Every structure is written in structure tokens, then in C-alpha cells.
Amino acid sequence: MVSISPKERKKYLIGNWKSNKTKSQVSAFFQEFAQKFKSIGNKKPEGLELIVCPVFIHLEESYKQIIDLKLPILLGAQDISPFEMGAFTGEVTGSQLKEYVSFCIIGHSERRKYFAEDDALLVKKAALAKREGIEVIYCVPDSLTSIPKDVKIVAYEPVFAIGTGTPDTPDNAQKVIKEIKSKNNISLVLYGGSINKDNISKYFEKEDIDGVLVGTSSLDPDSFMQMMLNAAL
Ligand code: PEP
């Protein structure tokens, strides 16, 4: 594994908005975030990447708001088609997504559970994201689940912790993430599951945890800002 000095090390605060927010709620999020960001001097912690993942149809609005308001936020998609452009009704492809996003979540436990996505399908999605230059954030529920080759960012998201208000402990998350890193030769692994502004710093303190993937607490601009400020680097 390539070692990264603490100064060069990037950390990630990623908001997964899931199927939430109308277009006007998306705009309101960015407007409110921009006001709060101005009130703290338009500064974000050094080395911290801020990413939000809205639903497909709000990527364009999010992109415009981020540019207009000059926000240091990057966009991610919540999913990607396993196919190239063509006759695949309802699918959104990597070549379409890359016009807006730098990242894409693949293999979220809700996709595995409600849409029966399996490892074979996820490998195809990861390959197409890579082909289009989109960085994959690959979700796994444990250290045993296989990870497609070439994935550089993994999120350890134990199912019991997602949306339940009961996170894994920082100590256990650190242990599992260390195992994922050594088994898969991956240097960037995030934790996800019931993170909020009050517990985030405990995870950022851990040696092997490179950031967090957040659902519920990323929806509110104030909470997202507080998480940014509490993400001790
Ligand atoms: C998620 O869905 O990726 C997630 C971590 O959700 P929550 O923060 O609500 O537990």
C-alpha cells in the first residue's frame, strides 16, 4: 500500500441524499449553505473534500448552484448504469453523469437489498464508471465482501447502522476498516452509518478512517456545515 503523509492525506465528507429533496429544496440547501459558509469566512478545513450526491434529475440544478455560489462542493451520483448509452429504458450512463459528477456511489446496501444488485452487476457498474473517469465510492457491509479491482474509495457501511441512529463504534469501525485496507490493498476507506454532527469527530480521530458517508444528517445545510467544522483533521 502506498503510504501518504498526514499533510497530503485527504479526508472525505460525503452526503448521500438518497431519494430526498425536490428541485426547490435542492436550491434552498445550497443557498442556505452558502450563507452559512460566508458567515465563517468562506473557509473549509484544509484537505477535506465535500461531496453531495443528489438524485439524478437534480444534478444539473446542483451543478448550477455550486458554480453560481462558488461553493467548494463536488457532486456524486448515487448509482450508474451497467450499460453504455443505448436502448436501456430508465438508465443513466457514465457518459451522461460525467458531465456533472466526479464521484459515484456503487453498491449501497439499499441497492443491494431493494434492487437485488449483486457482485457481478456491481463489477460492471464500477468498470463503466472507471472508463468514464468517475471515481467510485464502493459500499460494503463488512470486510468479507468482495471489491472490484481498480476501486480506490470504499465505504464500510454496516447494515445495522444505516438510518437507525445506532452507529458502529469508532473502535470497531477502525478495526474493520483496517482489515478492508489490508485485505484489498486499498488506502481510502470511509465509514458510514448514523453519523451526525455530534459523533463525527470520534471517527475522524481514528487512524485508518479517511472520512464518512452520511445519509440523514447530510440533508440539512446547518447539520452538513457543523459536520464539516467538527471533522477534526
Ligand atoms: C447511508 O445511507 O449511506 C447512510 C450512512 O445513512 P445514515 O447516515 O442515515 O445512517
Side-chain angles (χ1 to χ4, degrees):
M1 200 186 313
V2 186
S3 70
I4 300 168
S5 80
K7 244 191 130 192
E8 292 167 71
R9 189 177 175 200
K10 269 193 196 166
K11 290 203 179 182
Y12 295 80
L13 169 56
I14 306 178
N16 173 14
W17 288 353
K18 311 191 185 188
S19 295
N20 290 295
K21 295 190 188 294
T22 60
K23 184 175 172 185
S24 63
Q25 289 168 338
V26 165
S27 312
F29 176 96
F30 290 112
Q31 304 277 343
E32 273 183 55
F33 185 87
Q35 270 179 11
K36 289 174 201 299
F37 195 54
K38 197 171 170 198
S39 75
I40 60 158
N42 289 322
K43 286 210 174 82
K44 82 173 165 71
E46 206 184 319
L48 183 69
E49 292 279 14
L50 296 181
I51 299 160
V52 295
C53 307
V55 293
F56 291 143
I57 59 161
H58 298 325
L59 284 172
E60 182 165 14
E61 176 65 12
S62 301
Y63 189 85
K64 279 191 196 147
Q65 293 282 341
I66 288 169
I67 301 277
D68 288 354
L69 298 163
K70 300 188 175 57
L71 293 173
I73 296 179
L74 296 169
L75 286 174
Q78 297 174 18
D79 189 24
I80 188 170
S81 175
F83 300 103
E84 309 262 18
M85 277 200 283
F88 303 104
T89 303
E91 289 294 287
V92 182
T93 67
S95 52
Q96 292 152 344
L97 289 171
K98 77 172 178 197
E99 297 185 309
Y100 303 104
V101 309
S102 316
F103 297 88
C104 179
I105 297 171
I106 293 181
H108 191 279
S109 63
E110 288 152 13
R111 303 256 6 132
R112 293 178 193 259
K113 180 177 171 188
Y114 299 119
F115 303 95
E117 296 199 352
D118 60 12
D119 289 350
L121 178 73
L122 298 174
V123 164
K124 285 188 196 158
K125 291 188 173 198
L128 281 178
K130 184 177 186 267
R131 195 177 307 165
E132 298 298 342
I134 297 171
E135 200 70 78
V136 172
I137 301 156
Y138 196 81
C139 299
V140 294
D142 49 42
S143 60
L144 304 172
T145 302
S146 71
I147 297 172
K149 71 173 173 52
D150 297 330
V151 164
K152 294 204 186 86
I153 307 179
V154 167
Y156 160 56
E157 295 211 310
V159 173
F160 70 82
I162 297 180
T164 59
T166 307
D168 198 352
T169 62
D171 282 346
N172 197 56
Q174 155 66 28
K175 181 174 155 277
V176 176
I177 283 174
K178 198 170 180 179
E179 278 168 23
I180 292 173
K181 286 186 175 185
S182 65
K183 275 190 192 160
N184 299 282
N185 197 27
I186 281 174
S187 59
L188 277 174
V189 184
L190 321 179
Y191 167 72
S194 297
I195 287 292
N196 58 44
K197 64 181 170 36
D198 299 319
N199 63 17
I200 190 169
S201 62
K202 296 277 172 246
Y203 296 83
F204 270 77
E205 275 162 23
K206 294 291 177 191
E207 196 188 340
D208 285 290
I209 302 182
D210 298 292
V212 290
L213 177 56
V214 187
T216 316
S217 300
S218 70
L219 293 170
D220 173 62
D222 189 51
S223 152
F224 195 63
M225 166 90 32
Q226 289 304 322
M227 287 194 289
M228 176 189 94
L229 295 173
N230 293 346
L233 289 169

